[in-house]
Amino acid sequence: MTQKWDIIIVGGGLAGYVAANYLMKTNMSILLLEKGNNVGGRARTNKVGQQYFNLGPHALYKKGKAKSILEELGINLRGKSPKLGGILVDNNTEYAAPLSPLALFTTRLLNATERIEWIAILIKILRIDSEKLAEQTFQQWVRQVARSTIVESLLYVLGRLSTYCHAPEKMSAKVILSSIKNAMGGVLYLDGGWQSMIDQLHNKAILSGVHVQPHTFVKQIEPTQQNLFKLVLSDSEELLGKYVICTTGAHELNAMLSEKIVFSLRNFLTQITPVRGATLDIALTQLPNKNRPFALGITDPLYYSVHSSYARLSDNPMSAILHVFKYHHPDEHIDGTMIKKELEQFLDKIQPGWQQNVISKRFIPNIIVNQRLPRIGDERKLHSYKTEIPGLYIAGDWASPDYILADGAISSGKQAAEDIILNEKRNNDANHEGRLPVI
Ligand SMILES: Cc1cc2nc3c(=O)[nH]c(=O)nc-3n(C[C@H](O)[C@H](O)[C@H](O)COP(=O)(O)OP(=O)(O)OC[C@H]3O[C@@H](n4cnc5c(N)ncnc54)[C@H](O)[C@@H]3O)c2cc1C
């Protein structure tokens, strides 16, 4: 017999679990389906020996939507904030990064005029109303405000660091600047990695009766004549749901939606480009140089950070867990061998001798960081979708009109849950109004 559920959530990442955690307070039956063997999506952490490896560098924005929503759900976010600062590398020269109050005034990277210009721009960003930048690309905005080449480069560095996006000529200034503003509020590296959030969300969901089914691939979603959705699984099993929340990527959603579903955003879904990068995740017995926890490339889109300097990421407190990362441009050809070499050479400059201390390392040449590179006009299209297919909700880091990364995933998960709760309330109210009053 075909199983019937009130709510079926497709995807066991942050968006899916946050939606489940809001909905579990209703008395509707909830099934969460995840194609992987393990839940967590891109927020999962792998334990390799004694070390906890996030899928690349993961930092939670302290002023971001994700943190406040997770706290609202009672999720304990244990970890520490990295200190501002570190170094910037250009070719073979290193400079103090003008991101901490001290380095702002002392770095050799900037002359007196550039220093004043940079400080003024940082203040401007803190005060900016990003809503007014909806029609501009980030590059257009940067060229409008920066007078010197170095300040222009620094703005691109800050943009990459805050959003993982490396295509200033394509990205919406509004989303990038609101993310930079957010990032300027600091970040948290989490003890035990991001899996700690997933585990808590999962346990709360299970204890409240949410049914979680990993290793289940949803092949197709199609409407039925009873105003339900039929989900066809890869083993041809079928499930029925009154509401469906889909948290997969945009292209996966498009492939899943039956052709019977008329959907004006199909074209938009096919045009979405993900934000990608390459990550080299490394555990060392010890750092050759303990005073170098953070570095970024100025011209080269490279990142390095020792997350274990702040968060507990190993059962052995002596070892160091670090991430070296390359931000990919969407039009770039990806040559894994070359990129690995590039990341290792970057690490050679910052931590010469690291190769002798390796416990384990993992290289992923081309990973999706965010499912959508935020472009001008995306918000309008995403807002307009809302009521197009009654009962089908989208969530995930690409689906939020206003936020990206975990902030986008988590806020859209919460939004989908709230929309369902509201819809149920409206239906119940309408049913009650239709009844004769009891005298
Ligand atoms: C290298 C890297 C670094 C990052 N750093 C940061 C950071 O510093 N700060 C930040 O805020 N964010 C960061 N992120 C982004 C953050 O991890 C993601 O935005 C967030 O985890 C996305 O959650 P989600 O639920 O939207 O998607 P996902 O985690 O991708 O979850 C979707 C789930 O759906 C499942 N699925 C897909 N198709 C199907 C199907 N047909 N049937 C069943 N299941 C399906 C997938 O297996 C997956 O588990 C980073 C990501 C990466 C990769």
Side-chain angles (χ1 to χ4, degrees):
M1 219 173 70
T2 311
Q3 278 184 42
K4 190 177 156 198
W5 297 82
D6 291 321
I7 303 164
I8 302 181
I9 300 173
V10 184
L14 283 172
Y17 271 108
V18 164
N21 270 253
Y22 276 100
L23 288 162
M24 70 197 190
K25 292 164 200 151
T26 67
N27 56 9
M28 291 188 274
S29 58
I30 306 172
L31 172 66
L32 185 149
L33 302 173
E34 165 55 50
K35 72 175 178 185
N37 291 341
N38 300 307
V39 295
R42 281 166 286 149
R44 70 182 180 275
T45 307
N46 298 108
K47 188 150 189 227
V48 182
Q50 292 183 303
Q51 349 294 333
Y52 299 85
F53 275 167
N54 281 328
L55 272 180
H58 271 79
L60 192 69
Y61 297 108
K62 282 171 33 179
K63 294 269 163 65
K65 270 274 159 199
K67 182 167 178 281
S68 61
I69 293 173
L70 290 164
E71 283 170 348
E72 197 175 281
L73 287 172
I75 305 301
N76 199 341
L77 301 168
R78 225 169 317 158
K80 282 212 182 77
S81 299
K83 281 194 210 119
L84 285 170
I87 52 177
L88 294 184
V89 183
D90 210 13
N91 293 320
N92 283 324
T93 315
E94 293 180 4
Y95 306 91
L99 299 173
S100 70
L102 178 66
L104 266 181
F105 293 98
T106 54
T107 182
R108 286 181 300 110
L109 179 66
L110 303 170
N111 65 30
T113 323
E114 291 160 347
R115 204 180 301 280
I116 293 168
E117 186 191 342
W118 178 235
I119 294 172
I121 286 189
L122 289 178
I123 295 170
K124 188 183 176 83
I125 294 176
L126 284 174
R127 293 183 182 156
I128 213 159
D129 177 2
S130 49
E131 288 299 322
K132 293 191 176 142
L133 307 173
E135 301 305 324
Q136 262 184 310
T137 65
F138 184 50
Q139 186 178 63
Q140 284 166 338
W141 181 83
V142 168
R143 291 190 173 161
Q144 206 175 299
V145 298
R147 267 172 283 134
S148 62
T149 321
I150 185 64
V151 167
E152 191 174 329
S153 302
L154 282 175
L155 282 168
Y156 293 144
V157 170
L158 208 53
R160 288 195 293 264
L161 177 65
S162 315
T163 65
Y164 289 81
C165 303
H166 175 42
E169 76 288 4
K170 298 180 197 274
M171 293 149 28
S172 139
K174 176 187 154 182
V175 180
I176 305 309
L177 280 150
S178 70
S179 303
I180 293 179
K181 225 165 131 174
N182 225 352
M184 284 164 83
V187 298
L188 267 183
Y189 293 165
L190 295 180
D191 291 347
W194 277 32
Q195 190 74 38
S196 62
M197 298 191 276
I198 292 290
D199 288 347
Q200 292 177 68
L201 289 164
H202 173 82
N203 291 342
K204 280 177 189 276
I206 293 285
L207 287 174
S208 299
V210 175
H211 190 84
V212 175
Q213 196 172 307
H215 205 59
T216 306
F217 182 83
V218 178
K219 232 171 42 180
Q220 197 171 44
I221 302 177
E222 56 183 71
T224 69
Q225 282 169 348
Q226 300 78 41
N227 284 338
L228 298 172
F229 291 98
K230 182 169 84 181
L231 275 68
V232 184
L233 310 182
S234 54
D235 60 2
S236 300
E237 192 193 336
E238 293 178 356
L239 300 169
L240 289 173
K242 181 175 173 190
Y243 297 102
V244 172
I245 303 179
C246 185
T247 74
T248 69
H251 297 279
E252 290 156 311
L253 169 67
N254 199 26
M256 242 188 291
L257 284 183
S258 137
E259 277 160 17
K260 290 180 203 152
I261 300 182
V262 183
F263 187 48
S264 71
L265 281 192
R266 272 197 196 269
N267 218 8
F268 170 61
L269 294 187
T270 58
Q271 285 162 4
I272 287 177
T273 320
V275 175
R276 295 172 180 274
T279 184
L280 181 60
D281 308 326
I282 302 187
L284 300 178
T285 47
Q286 58 176 25
L287 281 177
N289 185 340
K290 290 200 173 52
N291 297 324
R292 301 189 136 205
F294 184 73
L296 295 168
I298 299 180
T299 318
D300 297 329
L302 299 174
Y303 165 106
Y304 148 95
S305 180
V306 184
H307 283 227
S308 61
S309 296
Y310 303 95
R312 203 186 59 74
L313 290 168
S314 171
D315 294 339
N316 175 359
M318 297 302 287
S319 54
I321 313 299
L322 59 95
H323 300 278
V324 195
F325 185 85
K326 179 170 188 194
Y327 307 91
H328 289 331
H329 187 278
D331 302 337
E332 187 178 334
H333 165 73
I334 311 297
D335 177 339
T337 315
M338 290 292 291
I339 293 169
K340 184 164 182 238
K341 217 162 145 191
E342 192 180 358
L343 293 179
E344 289 183 345
Q345 283 170 351
F346 189 56
L347 189 53
D348 286 340
K349 284 183 199 164
I350 300 155
Q351 291 288 352
W354 65 274
Q355 301 265 22
Q356 276 89 61
N357 300 349
V358 173
I359 303 171
S360 53
K361 61 179 177 174
R362 173 180 67 185
F363 173 61
I364 308 174
N366 193 7
I367 187 169
I368 292 181
V369 177
N370 197 75
Q371 292 276 12
R372 175 176 60 87
L373 180 81
R375 294 180 194 244
I376 295 171
D378 282 4
E379 305 100 272
R380 260 195 313 274
K381 290 177 189 141
L382 287 164
H383 273 301
S384 77
Y385 156 77
K386 274 230 150 184
T387 49
E388 245 197 272
I389 312 172
L392 178 72
Y393 297 83
I394 52 172
D397 57 8
W398 65 275
S400 159
D402 306 305
Y403 308 103
I404 55 170
L405 300 168
D407 289 340
I410 287 178
S411 58
S412 60
K414 175 180 177 182
Q415 188 64 53
E418 283 182 338
D419 288 346
I420 290 177
I421 293 167
L422 188 67
N423 198 53
E424 275 295 288
K425 188 175 173 311
R426 278 205 200 111
N427 288 346
N428 287 340
D429 290 351
N431 287 344
H432 282 293
E433 275 162 24
R435 270 191 217 150
L436 288 174
V438 180
I439 304 172

